[in-house]
Amino acid sequence: EIVLTQSPGTLSLSPGERATLSCRASQSVGSTYLAWYQQKPGQAPRLLIYGVSSRATGIPDRFSGSGSGTDFTLTISRLEPEDFAVYYCQHYGSSPPGTFGQGTKVEIK
Amino acid sequence: QVQLQQSGPGLVKPSQTLSLTCAISGDSVSSNSVAWNWIRQSPSRGLEWLGRTYYRSKWYNDYAVSVKGRITINPDTSKNQFSLQLNSVTPEDTAVYYCARDWGKFVWGTYRGDAFDLWGQGTMVTVSS
């Protein structure tokens, strides 16, 4: 089973700053089957990025995903107040579905 | 607008059965294009996929190894919903339970799932006497 490790655990930034979140897989997941989700307190996760770099419907272009193999990155170019949340990466496409990372919390500095 | 609406009890006694329902609006449980999933989240286990049901000329189910033997996911075409039953629960099954959709494909007899693009609102289930 592929294990996803996210870093850092917590990212303390100010609105307007750039956020870079990392997701490392224990073995190659290829270049396609990696997603990112955003979760706010009391809410379900929301799909941000699928296929490593494709934005889901309605997701602003300040969110971008990149990477391949075992190293993936979610970048938020300029943090808006509503972006402070927990972010999860997920490997999918296998059967059964892959696991989620443990999450990175982006908090206001 | 497609929505998933969850319902079910928030408290279940140990050794009993956890039962939740996910009602679908704006899509069909019998769609040939998607799968309907159950996922749970707890502080100790994080986000954990539990299982799915999907229709590709006939009904299929896949379950996580961690709950296999205790879990059943059933579609209900008359009500356009699907359900989760988890038997013999213990306090370890305490979590927020979500239903979710993915647009995976059947490839060479194996379902290749996709990202979860639609989620229910979540149900906090506590297992306690």
Side-chain angles (χ1 to χ4, degrees), chain A residues 14-45:
Chain A
S14 300
E17 289 193 294
R18 183 184 187 89
T20 303
L21 287 67
S22 173
C23 176
R24 178 161 289 177
S26 58
Q27 57 186 280
S28 178
V29 302
S31 59
T32 308
Y33 301 114
L34 196 287
W36 290 92
Y37 300 83
Q38 176 194 69
Q39 188 177 33
K40 297 179 180 178
Q43 297 183 16

Side-chain angles (χ1 to χ4, degrees), chain B:
Chain B
Q1 185 182 359
V2 187
Q3 287 186 327
L4 302 178
Q5 181 67 37
Q6 298 178 219
S7 59
L11 181 63
V12 182
K13 288 182 166 47
S15 80
Q16 295 194 342
T17 297
L18 180 161
S19 295
L20 297 174
T21 298
C22 183
I24 304 163
S25 57
D27 201 343
S28 171
V29 71
S30 304
S31 169
N32 274 292
S33 303
V34 301
W36 303 100
N37 300 263
W38 286 100
I39 297 161
R40 67 182 178 185
Q41 184 176 31
S42 65
S44 59
R45 303 171 76 101
L47 284 160
E48 178 186 20
W49 176 81
L50 299 176
R52 64 188 167 209
T53 189
Y54 53 99
Y55 185 76
R56 298 292 187 275
S57 302
K58 68 174 185 177
W59 288 102
Y60 294 87
N61 288 299
D62 296 317
Y63 299 128
V65 171
S66 61
V67 292
K68 208 163 190 175
R70 294 199 295 136
I71 187 173
T72 304
I73 296 176
N74 281 325
D76 183 343
T77 57
S78 65
K79 295 181 179 178
N80 200 32
Q81 63 187 29
F82 62 107
S83 63
L84 167 69
Q85 286 195 307
L86 188 63
N87 302 326
S88 305
V89 296
T90 72
E92 289 289 304
D93 294 310
T94 294
V96 179
Y97 286 75
Y98 296 100
C99 56
R101 179 183 73 177
D102 81 81
W103 292 77
K105 291 179 172 46
F106 221 42
V107 179
W108 296 107
T110 299
Y111 186 84
R112 187 169 288 276
D114 206 335
F116 302 113
D117 73 320
L118 181 69
W119 295 65
Q121 80 276 20
T123 302
M124 177 65 214
V125 178
T126 301
V127 179
S128 174
S129 54

